[in-house]
Amino acid sequence: MFRKILTPVDLAHLGALDRALEVSADMAKRHGAEIVYVGVTTQAPSAVARTTEEYERKLSTFAATEGEKHGCKTSAHMVVSHDPAIDLNINLMRATEEIGADLIVMGTHIPGLAEHVWASHGGAVASHAGVSVFLVRG
């Protein structure tokens, strides 16, 4: 049913994504799909990587490790953003089209007071993406 699964990852907070990563791997194995781990970063040095090249290497290593761990085909797709806090949602939807994903499996958190004013990233992507979106609370 699904051929390519986009799974957004924040390399700085992988521990918070355990459940979403497990669901993504289960869906990939069930449908014989590829998982494309999408990481959004900036040109500026961060706690994860000093350069975009270093970030891309870390994201690719993560994808390969997850593929071996779960026994499914994986790849990495890096997006460089001016400000991920502002344009994360649009970048994820663009990446969905670029890679031809037909499912997004995305980790999310339990809604709090802020989500009554601003949509969460998961909520915004689920509302506007042209493909199925599976939000997994961590």
Side-chain angles (χ1 to χ4, degrees), residues 37-48:
Y37 296 103
V38 174
V40 179
T41 188
T42 65
Q43 292 280 354
S46 69
V48 173

Side-chain angles (χ1 to χ4, degrees), residues 54-69:
E54 182 182 7
Y55 184 89
E56 190 166 37
R57 280 193 304 274
K58 288 183 174 184
L59 183 62
S60 293
T61 299
F62 170 78
T65 301
E66 287 294 300
E68 289 177 19
K69 178 179 168 185

Side-chain angles (χ1 to χ4, degrees), residues 1-2 8 11 20-22 25 33 35 39 63 70 84-85 87 93 99 102 107 115 117 121 128 131 137:
M1 174 182 268
F2 298 110
L11 294 177
L21 296 175
E22 287 294 324
I35 302 171
H70 296 289
D87 56 12
M93 288 186 275
I99 66 174
D102 51 1
E115 282 72 31
V117 180
H121 292 297
H128 300 288
V131 300
R137 288 204 173 139

Side-chain angles (χ1 to χ4, degrees), residues 5-129:
I5 300 169
L6 182 152
T7 301
V9 293
D10 180 346
L11 294 177
H13 300 99
L14 287 174
L17 298 174
D18 285 346
R19 293 187 74 200
L21 296 175
E22 287 294 324
V23 169
S24 183
D26 286 348
M27 295 293 284
K29 287 190 279 190
R30 176 181 301 263
H31 297 283
E34 174 185 2
I35 302 171
V36 181
Y37 296 103
V38 174
V40 179
T41 188
T42 65
Q43 292 280 354
S46 69
V48 173
R50 291 169 292 182
T51 63
T52 54
E53 292 80 12
E54 182 182 7
Y55 184 89
E56 190 166 37
R57 280 193 304 274
K58 288 183 174 184
L59 183 62
S60 293
T61 299
F62 170 78
T65 301
E66 287 294 300
E68 289 177 19
K69 178 179 168 185
H70 296 289
C72 53
K73 183 177 179 186
T74 60
S75 62
H77 181 85
M78 179 182 74
V79 176
V80 178
S81 166
H82 176 69
D83 186 351
I86 299 296
D87 56 12
L88 178 66
N89 304 338
I90 192 103
N91 280 320
L92 291 177
M93 288 186 275
R94 277 191 196 134
T96 302
E97 292 178 17
E98 289 171 8
I99 66 174
D102 51 1
L103 174 66
I104 300 170
V105 175
M106 186 170 180
T108 187
H109 56 82
I110 296 171
L113 183 60
E115 282 72 31
H116 291 284
V117 180
W118 298 283
S120 66
H121 292 297
V125 170
S127 295
H128 300 288

